[in-house]
């Protein structure tokens, strides 16, 4: 039997795009958080890392090129937008849907669904937070370094931004990546085991991120 | 009066009903099916073990054919069945299995090569031929000469019913769910439909039809412990009885299944024993070989159930808060086999007993299971007494099973009966004029008045109470072993209850969805049926198949080779009998092969046996068809009459 | 634990009654050994309230009639032992996402029939139907087992009720629908492949609407591996090498 209508591939494409962008973002976040954690080894380590990423090694002056940061941030911005576009069809748009979601949560008690709701709400919050973060980075790419960062965090409200973004992005990303695994992988049993790994990784990342953030704050207050 | 008109009205959406509907639709007749519940929830879905058909694919089925199936069925019935029907049935059963395979049933298939099986308590190696790889498999069931029971894991009924209902949806057949037929519409001559209550809205609707077919299943719920679904209350059967014109055949022929779990009464399939499980007593002793050295656990159901009861009476039962029981031991089959082929059993043990059947023994005891009796029909499925009325499946007494049904023959009966009788129903619908609405009016008013009265009554008995008493009487006095004294009491008490049921008082006066009203309407019907069962059992002073009279232990062909017929007249059950003609039998009455032969023979049996043997000696080279034609001719709709091909093993 | 008193909180509503509104009603009952929610509800109806509505047919966990939400989990009431709830409190709600008939009774039958009609949930033969007089077509034993594996669904509706996606989007076919399609795409007797189901399966009502919440798999009383069924379909439709994404 031949398919009667030419299949519409949009949904499939978006599904794949959503997963791929989500995975890239998650990997980026993982890396990002660990690089951020270099502050725990001291300001020098953080600055060395920052300079390395600015390709300080290629620049004879040793400052590196700030435009690299702008490009990177732009690329990430693009990926985030792509992700948002791809997942937008899953985001409930009608108020009635939120009501259903809430009512359902009251009747049926299911952990996996609760986690998804966290993912939804964290995603919506990040819709605001990530652009702030990325635009900041694009606007002042040269001001990345242990001191400027600490100042930003302590005095320019960075503590609030990161204090929200860090846990939200971590929860969103770990929940997302587990979901991605369950969605596609032919060997995804037992799913309960996967869920417990997720929990462990999430806790670890939040501890790590909090420590880095506190270190910046400590440094900022010291200065 | 709201009316709905159709060509073929079918009451019941189990396997039998759906198969009849499909046959009608295929013949261009509009079929409308009624059901208490969504079709796929009908009781047919609960059948686990399998469906008999002589495909003869597996090594253990080698040499099987229609004749072997026929002989097993007749012996199983203790010669109580209609042999012509058994012949027709055995011929069509392979077609039914093969057709259902085309319709989507994922029958378990043969895997070529050696495999381990537990036979008679020992692990044995069986080797399947390469040529049969991928053909439909069969398992061993009680009372059969060859392995003949086709199965899908242990969800045979489920997969059959799903395939059938899917097919019905594809054919656009309307199934009206959550409705209950309450009274047949007829003018004393011809049945023209039924008065039906919508269980949700409470509306009464007159369904007018050219033919009406009752496929409403069995009446196991007359007993307090039954393997049957809760909706197997026999109201369809009783509705026919209530006309006063249509008789119920052999109501006393009731089967008790050896292995229902204690206390829930949920069945674990005969497949457990077929696959090698054994029965043990309080000492862990395997007792069946003591009683039945040849067939052991796989003797006919009635025999095993009686032997179990006997054994418990010798003090070998296991005591429990819920009464005595015995053990079913399937541990030797191993976890892998159980996980694959006996999953439902595993689930049931897990959920209701909290045990693992691969490790623990299962507490079981015999429990009411199947109604061989039902609306008496002829070979074409036409009910006696009213034209245009048919019955198929467990609701009918087409009389395939006589006094004992073989495991796996009932699913087969529903589909085969649906195929054969479906053709007759369609043909009748074609020839019949449109029904007349006027005939329905008095029936509609009668039902409406009954409901009004129930909703208004200020005093009367409690329907739940009456029901409970009835169930207990049936349990205690109309069970596996029966005696004249107990049955007499049962009849008196049931008749008393039946009279009490004319005055009922309800707490719930809602006109629409009202469970108490439903209960009240049903208990009246059930009590009539209960009286019929008890009266039939009391009158039959012999033991035949599942009907075991302690005071009359012999099978008495001389006086009792006849079918009980119960009419409901003047608000009482009236018995009469229909002779079973030995001179027309292909297989004259003989020894069934269990225990010792204590049959009181009928003189005609020997005469007929001599006739048959003589013919066979005279025409040793006769073909199967010639033989059949000479000894017991039967006629099938052309569509179903072709010979069945078989692969033959080892070719 | 037997002999203790259990408290039932039961959803009550008769939608056919013009001025009846939803409420919770509390009942108390003495627990008996081996008591299931089925036994308890029948006892409550008989002894305390003759108007209580609920559905049971097989009372053995095989027909799918009795699904309801028990203490926050959609499941079969007939096979739920009351002893498993240590608190002695049992809250019963009708399955969300289905038309309410009354109290705990919902119309899953109607839902399943229309789903089946919409998905063409029946076998569409690959070729002409074989004569039933002839030896049947062969099938790999393993294929038959795999088909049966997904055919074990009893259409109870638990998966639909446990799925937030299905609640938010009426047209989503849910795990029961996805499993149904998987069953037919596995069956070589069926002429259709995943592409033929694409119009529904390939959109947001089908596999790409599923957000892998897995409430379905966690609730399914038959323990069907719905996650694997759905991911199989997703891979098949999205990553099929014959198609360029
Ligand atoms: C636990 C169990 C296991 C079994 N296993 C096997 C097995 O392995 N092999 C085998 O061969 N047999 C088996 N049997 C027997 C077999 O399942 C049944 O005999 C057979 O399925 C009956 O089918 P049916 O179509 O006649 O009726 P059912 O499937 O019982 O259907 C009856 C239909 O009638 C409807 N109905 C009833 N009354 C009314 C009314 N008044 N108005 C409207 N509708 C009505 C119901 O809603 C239902 O749709 C088993 C039985 C039990 C109890
Ligand atoms: C900026 C705003 C963002 C929004 C609104 C958003 C929203 C969502 C939503 C609603 C989902 C669920 C989709 C589904 O269940 O099918 C999702 C999935 C996912 N998101 Fe995000 N997200 C955002 C940012 C991010 C970021 C920054 C990351 C990584 C760090 C990320 C990683 C993921 C992953 C891995 C998935 C799983 C993909 C899948 O299920 O196919 N998302 N996102
Ligand atoms: C290329 C783009 C990015 C650059 C250059 C960048 C740079 C930085 C820098 C320098 C900091 C330290 C704080 C500061 O100086 O203000 C930081 C912190 C942080 N960034 Fe980014 N970022 C980028 C993208 C992202 C994205 C896409 C996310 C979200 C997924 C993200 C999430 C965070 C979080 C959570 C912190 C706080 C870390 C912690 O608590 O340890 N960043 N980022
Ligand atoms: S998939 Fe499971 S939960 Fe869903 S309807 Fe089928 S049996 Fe019920
Ligand atoms: S719960 Fe719903 S979202 Fe998908 S995985 Fe199950 S269908
Ligand atoms: S009553 Fe059949 S599944 Fe519960």
């Amino acid at each position: 039997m031949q398919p009667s209508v030419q299949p519409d591939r949009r949904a499939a494409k978006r599904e794949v795009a959503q997963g791929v962008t989500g995975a890239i973002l998650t990997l980026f976040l993982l890396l990002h958080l660990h690089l951020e954690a270099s502050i725990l080894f001291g300001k020098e380590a953080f600055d060395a890392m920052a300079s390395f990423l600015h390709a300080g090694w290629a620049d004879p002056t040793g400052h590196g090129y700030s435009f690299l940061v702008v490009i990177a941030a732009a690329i990430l911005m693009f990926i985030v937008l792509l992700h948002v576009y791809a997942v937008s069809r899953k985001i409930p748009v009608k108020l009635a849907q939120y009501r259903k979601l809430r009512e359902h949560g009251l009747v049926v008690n299911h952990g996996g669904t609760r986690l998804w709701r966290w993912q939804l709400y964290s995603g919506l919050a990040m819709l605001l937070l990530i652009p702030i973060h990325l635009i900041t980075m694009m606007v002042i790419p040269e001001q990345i370094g242990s001191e400027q960062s600490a100042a930003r965090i302590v005095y320019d409200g960075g503590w609030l931004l990161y204090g929200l973004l860090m846990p939200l992005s971590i929860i969103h990303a770990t929940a997302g990546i587990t979901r991605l695994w369950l969605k596609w992988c032919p060997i995804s049993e037992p799913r309960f085991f996967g869920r417990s790994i997720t929990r462990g990784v999430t806790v670890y990342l939040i501890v790590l991120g909090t420590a880095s953030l506190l270190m910046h704050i400590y440094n900022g207050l010291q200065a | 009066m709201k009316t709905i008109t159709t060509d073929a009205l079918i009451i019941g959406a189990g396997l039998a009903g759906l198969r009849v509907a499909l046959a009608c639709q295929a013949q261009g007749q509009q079929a409308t099916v009624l059901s208490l519940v969504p079709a796929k929830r009908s009781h047919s879905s609960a059948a686990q073990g399998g469906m008999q058909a002589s495909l003869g694919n597996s090594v253990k089925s080698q040499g099987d054919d229609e004749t072997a199936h026929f002989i097993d069925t007749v012996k199983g019935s203790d010669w109580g069945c209609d042999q012509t029907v058994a012949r027709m049935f055995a011929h069509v059963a392979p077609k039914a299995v093969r057709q259902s395979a085309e319709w989507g049933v994922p029958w378990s298939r043969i895997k070529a090569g050696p495999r381990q099986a537990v036979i008679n308590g020992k692990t044995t190696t069986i080797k399947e031929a390469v040529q049969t790889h991928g053909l439909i498999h069969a398992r061993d069931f009680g009372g059969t000469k060859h392995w003949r029971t086709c199965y899908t894991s242990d969800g045979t009924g489920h997969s059959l019913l799903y395939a059938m209902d899917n097919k019905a949806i594809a054919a656009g057949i309307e199934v009206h769910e959550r409705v209950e037929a309450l009274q047949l519409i007829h003018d004393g001559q011809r049945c023209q439909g039924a008065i039906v209550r919508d269980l949700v809205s409470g509306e009464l609707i007159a369904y007018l039809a050219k033919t009406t077919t009752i496929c409403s299943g069995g009446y196991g719920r007359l007993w307090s412990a039954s393997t049957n679904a809760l909706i197997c209350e026999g109201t369809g059967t009783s509705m026919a009885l209530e006309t006063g014109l249509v008789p119920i055949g052999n109501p006393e022929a009731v089967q008790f299944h050896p292995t229902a779990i204690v206390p829930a009464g949920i069945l674990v399939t005969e497949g457990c024993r077929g696959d090698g499980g054994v029965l043990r007593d309080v000492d862990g002793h395997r007792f069946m070989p003591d009683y039945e050295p040849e067939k052991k656990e796989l003797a006919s159901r009635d025999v095993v159930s009686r032997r179990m009861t006997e054994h418990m009476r010798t003090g070998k039962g296991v005591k429990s808060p819920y009464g005595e029981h015995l053990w079913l031991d399937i541990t030797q089959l191993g976890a892998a086999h159980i996980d694959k082929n006996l999953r439902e059993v595993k689930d049931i043990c897990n959920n209701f007993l909290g045990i693992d059947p691969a490790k623990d023994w299962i507490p079981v005891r015999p429990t009411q299971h199947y109604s061989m009796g039902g609306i008496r029909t002829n070979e074409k499925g036409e009910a006696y007494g009213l034209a245009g009325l048919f019955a198929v499946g467990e609701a009918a007494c087409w009389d395939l099973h006589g006094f004992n049904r073989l495991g796996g023959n009932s699913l087969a009966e529903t589909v085969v009966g649906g195929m054969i009788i479906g053709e007759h129903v369609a043909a009748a619908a074609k020839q019949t004029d449109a029904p007349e609405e006027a005939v329905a009016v008095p029936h509609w008013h009668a039902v409406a008045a009954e409901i009004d009265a129930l909703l208004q009554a200020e005093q009367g008995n409690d329907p739940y109470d009456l029901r409970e008493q009835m169930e207990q009487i049936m349990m205690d006095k109309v069970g596996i072993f029966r005696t004249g004294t107990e049955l007499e009491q049962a009849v008196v008490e049931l008749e008393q209850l039946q009279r009490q049921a004319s005055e009922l008082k309800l707490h719930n006066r809602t006109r629409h969805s009202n469970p108490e009203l439903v209960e009240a309407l049903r208990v009246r019907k059930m009590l009539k049926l209960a009286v019929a069962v008890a009266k039939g059992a009391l009158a039959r002073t012999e033991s035949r198949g599942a009907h075991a009279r302690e005071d009359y232990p012999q099978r008495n062909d001389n006086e009792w080779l006849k079918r009980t017929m119960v009419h409901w007249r003047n608000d009482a059950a009236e018995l009469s009998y229909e002779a079973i003609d030995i001179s027309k039998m292909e297989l004259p009455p003989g020894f069934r092969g269990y225990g010792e032969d204590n049959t009181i023979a009928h003189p005609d049996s020997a005469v007929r046996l001599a006739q048959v043997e003589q013919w066979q000696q005279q025409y040793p080279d006769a073909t199967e068809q010639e033989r059949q034609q000479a000894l017991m001719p039967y006629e099938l709709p052309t569509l179903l009459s072709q010979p069945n091909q078989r692969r033959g093993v080892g070719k | 634990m037997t002999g203790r008193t259990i408290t039932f909180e039961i959803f009550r509503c008769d939608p056919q009654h013009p001025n009846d509104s939803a409420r919770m009603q509390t009942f108390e009952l003495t627990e008996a050994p081996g008591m299931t929610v089925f036994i308890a509800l029948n006892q409550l109806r008989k002894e305390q309230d003759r108007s209580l509505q609920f559905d049971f047919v097989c009372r053995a966990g095989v027909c799918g009639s009795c699904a309801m939400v028990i203490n926050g989990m959609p499941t079969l009431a007939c096979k739920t032992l009351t002893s498993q709830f240590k608190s002695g409190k049992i809250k019963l709600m009708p399955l969300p996402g289905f038309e309410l008939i009354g109290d705990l009774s919902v119309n899953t039958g109607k839902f399943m029939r229309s789903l089946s009609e919409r998905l063409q949930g029946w076998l569409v033969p690959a070729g002409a139907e074989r004569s039933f007089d002839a030896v049947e077509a062969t099938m790999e034993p393993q294929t038959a087992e795999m088909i049966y594996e997904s055919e074990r669904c009893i259409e109870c509706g638990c998966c639909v009720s446990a799925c937030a996606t299905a609640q938010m989007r009426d047209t989503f076919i849910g795990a029961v629908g996805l499993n149904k399609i998987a069953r037919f795409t596995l069956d070589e007797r069926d002429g259709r492949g995943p592409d033929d189901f694409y119009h529904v399966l390939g959109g947001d009502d089908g596999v790409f609407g599923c957000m892998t919440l897995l409430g379905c798999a966690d609730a399914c009383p038959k323990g069907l591996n719905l996650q694997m069924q759905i991911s199989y379909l997703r891979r098949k439709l999205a990553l099929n090498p014959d198609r360029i994404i």
Side-chain angles (χ1 to χ4, degrees), chain B residues 191-406:
Chain B
C191 180
Q192 309 204 28
I195 304 296
V196 176
R197 179 167 179 269
D198 184 319
L199 295 173
V200 178
S201 71
E203 193 177 16
L204 273 190
I205 306 161
Y207 279 77
L208 294 167
K210 297 177 184 169
T211 64
T212 306
T213 310
I214 300 182
C215 306
S216 54
Y219 43 81
R221 286 287 151 189
L222 298 180
W223 286 261
S224 62
S226 167
T227 62
N228 287 194
L230 306 167
I231 56 166
C232 296
E233 303 181 299
T235 53
T237 313
S238 192
M239 186 170 66
L241 183 67
E242 281 178 333
T243 59
L245 302 165
V246 181
I248 304 297
N250 288 342
E252 70 271 29
V254 179
Q255 183 173 77
F256 289 76
H257 195 288
T259 58
I261 62 168
V262 178
I266 297 168
L267 180 87
V268 292
T269 170
E270 183 156 335
C272 289
R273 283 168 293 136
D275 290 1
V278 298
L279 292 168
R280 298 187 190 280
D281 63 14
V282 66
D283 308 321
H285 171 64
R286 183 182 174 200
F287 59 91
M288 275 309 290
D290 305 346
Y291 296 98
E292 298 294 336
E294 202 200 324
K295 276 280 182 180
K296 307 180 182 78
E297 279 83 1
L298 288 175
S300 244
R301 279 186 184 163
D302 60 323
V303 177
V304 180
S305 291
R306 275 200 298 276
R307 295 307 192 191
M308 289 169 74
T309 312
E310 268 180 81
H311 199 66
M312 286 194 276
R313 284 182 181 176
T314 65
K316 292 293 182 186
V318 185
K319 309 261 181 312
S320 87
Y322 309 100
E324 285 188 45
H325 64 78
L326 293 160
W327 300 112
L328 171 64
D329 172 11
I330 60 169
T331 54
Q332 69 276 33
L333 305 186
H337 180 92
I338 294 172
D339 280 349
K340 198 169 111 199
N341 292 315
L342 297 168
R343 283 193 36 177
E344 296 296 337
V345 173
K346 186 179 163 177
D347 282 355
I348 288 169
C349 288
N350 252 319
N351 296 331
F352 298 93
L353 296 168
I355 62 167
D356 175 2
K359 294 202 195 87
D360 310 301
W361 294 350
I362 310 167
V364 295
R365 74 171 157 231
T367 302
Q368 192 288 339
H369 182 56
Y370 187 81
S371 329
M372 272 80 73
I375 299 167
R376 178 71 187 126
T377 74
N378 63 14
E379 288 155 25
K380 292 179 164 179
E382 294 164 334
Y384 288 16
L386 272 182
L389 180 65
F390 295 77
V392 188
E394 195 172 340
C397 178
W398 192 26
D399 226 2
L400 170 64
H401 309 299
F403 275 77
N404 176 57
R405 155 178 91 86
L406 294 184

Side-chain angles (χ1 to χ4, degrees), chain B residues 24 46 106 109 287 320 361 398 426 431 486 540 546 590 644:
Chain B
C24 291
R109 302 289 175 141
F287 59 91
S320 87
W361 294 350
W398 192 26
Q431 286 158 15
E486 282 177 350
R540 186 172 284 272
N644 296 307

Side-chain angles (χ1 to χ4, degrees), chain B residues 182-183 195 197 204 442-452 521:
Chain B
L182 292 172
Q183 193 170 104
I195 304 296
R197 179 167 179 269
L204 273 190
H443 293 279
W444 192 93
H445 284 292
V447 178
E450 183 182 2
I451 291 172
D452 287 344
L521 290 166

Side-chain angles (χ1 to χ4, degrees), chain A:
Chain A
M1 230 167 86
Q2 284 298 309
S4 47
V5 278
Q6 193 55 34
D8 174 5
R9 309 273 314 146
R10 263 177 305 180
K13 286 179 192 165
R14 285 171 76 166
E15 182 82 8
V16 172
Q18 151 189 352
V20 171
T21 51
I24 294 174
L25 288 170
T26 304
L27 289 178
F28 173 81
L29 184 69
L30 218 58
L31 186 72
H32 190 31
L33 285 173
H34 283 95
L35 293 178
E36 252 341 270
S38 60
I39 190 71
L40 296 176
F41 296 101
K43 294 180 181 178
E44 298 73 24
F46 186 82
D47 289 330
M49 181 276 298
S51 140
F52 177 79
L53 287 184
H54 286 71
W57 38 271
D59 182 0
T61 67
H63 278 287
Y65 307 100
S66 319
F67 72 89
L68 284 177
V69 175
V70 178
I71 292 175
I75 292 174
L76 276 162
M77 194 67 198
F78 175 72
I79 295 176
V80 168
L81 288 177
L82 200 61
H83 180 73
V84 172
Y85 166 73
V87 298
S88 63
R89 77 210 151 88
K90 304 288 182 69
I91 300 176
V93 285
K94 292 197 207 90
L95 205 60
Q97 290 178 313
Y98 281 94
R99 202 178 312 122
K100 279 270 172 70
L101 189 62
R102 203 184 67 94
E103 280 168 11
H104 183 251
L106 293 177
V107 175
V108 175
N109 176 8
H110 182 249
T113 307
R114 253 195 315 274
L115 194 59
W116 180 82
R117 286 169 68 179
W118 272 101
Q119 216 186 341
L120 171 67
Y121 300 141
S122 59
L124 292 179
M126 285 195 290
L127 212 48
L128 188 70
L129 299 177
I130 291 186
I132 298 179
H133 181 46
L134 285 180
I135 289 169
T136 313
M137 288 302 143
M138 289 204 279
V139 174
I140 43 166
E142 67 293 343
Q143 289 187 29
I144 299 178
S146 54
E147 277 172 19
Q148 298 97 314
S149 294
R152 204 163 32 243
I153 288 170
V154 177
Y155 302 107
D156 292 345
W159 56 274
L160 183 60
L161 174 67
Y162 298 127
L164 288 173
L165 183 58
M166 190 260 304
L168 289 178
S169 62
I170 290 172
I171 291 171
H172 185 97
T174 49
I177 207 81
T178 317
R179 201 177 303 290
L180 206 53
W181 172 260
L182 294 170
K183 242 180 187 175
W184 296 97
C185 189
I187 33 167
S188 37
E189 281 292 302
R191 57 183 182 276
F192 304 101
F193 179 63
R195 280 172 196 173
S196 69
I197 294 190
T198 313
R199 213 166 300 134
V201 172
T202 310
V203 169
Y204 160 72
L205 289 178
I206 291 187
V207 169
L208 187 73
T210 313
S212 313
L213 206 54
L214 287 177
M215 197 67 183
H216 276 300
I217 294 176
Y218 174 78
N219 290 342
L221 292 176
Q222 288 281 305

Side-chain angles (χ1 to χ4, degrees), chain B residues 37-38 40-41 45-46 55 57 94-95 98-99 101-107 109-111 133-136 152-155 158-159 162 166-167 169-170 172-175 177-178 200-201 221 226-231 264-266 322 340 343-344 347-348 351-352 419 462-464 468 507-508 510 512-516 639-640 642-647, chain C residues 14 16-17 32-34 36 38 42 45-46 50-53 55-66 78-81 101-102 105-110 112-113 116-117 121-123 125 128-145 147-149 151-157 180 183-184 187 189 221-224:
Chain B
V37 295
K40 287 189 171 90
R41 313 229 189 279
S45 69
L55 299 180
N57 288 329
K95 302 184 199 304
R98 286 167 171 168
Q99 183 178 60
E102 289 291 298
W103 290 359
V105 175
W107 294 107
R109 302 289 175 141
I110 296 175
K111 193 167 176 196
H133 183 79
L135 291 179
I136 295 173
T152 25
S153 183
D154 60 357
H158 171 88
S159 61
Y162 271 52
N166 290 343
K167 184 90 181 162
I169 297 174
I173 292 172
E174 278 189 42
V175 180
E177 305 169 358
R178 292 180 183 268
V200 178
S201 71
R221 286 287 151 189
S226 167
T227 62
N228 287 194
L230 306 167
I231 56 166
I266 297 168
Y322 309 100
K340 198 169 111 199
R343 283 193 36 177
E344 296 296 337
D347 282 355
I348 288 169
N351 296 331
F352 298 93
M419 289 167 84
D462 183 42
Y464 287 79
E468 200 168 304
H507 298 72
N508 180 356
T510 316
H512 57 261
S513 50
N514 177 345
E516 195 183 17
L639 183 68
L640 304 171
Q642 295 307 304
N644 296 307
Q645 294 171 16
R646 279 189 189 79
R647 169 94 36 158
Chain C
D14 180 355
Q16 290 185 75
H17 211 283
T36 56
F38 155 67
N42 274 288
R45 174 149 85 195
K46 190 172 163 208
R50 291 277 166 99
S51 66
L52 202 53
Q53 292 186 59
D55 296 315
F56 289 95
V57 176
C58 70
R59 62 83 178 82
V62 297
C63 76
S65 301
C66 65
C78 67
K79 64 165 202 178
T80 303
L81 294 164
I101 290 177
S105 172
V106 293
N107 206 337
T108 46
K110 185 172 158 191
M112 295 298 168
R113 168 115 187 183
S116 183
E117 281 166 353
W122 50 81
L123 195 98
E129 198 174 305
R130 200 182 177 88
S131 157
F132 52 43
D133 301 325
V135 173
E136 68 275 11
T138 58
M139 177 184 263
E140 269 307 309
Q142 213 200 331
T143 311
E145 273 164 36
I147 296 170
Y148 179 65
E149 206 41 52
E151 189 154 292
R152 286 173 58 243
C153 166
I154 54 173
E155 298 195 350
C156 63
K180 222 178 248 305
R183 183 241 172 275
F184 289 106
D187 197 331
R189 293 168 298 193
K222 285 277 131 183
L224 292 191

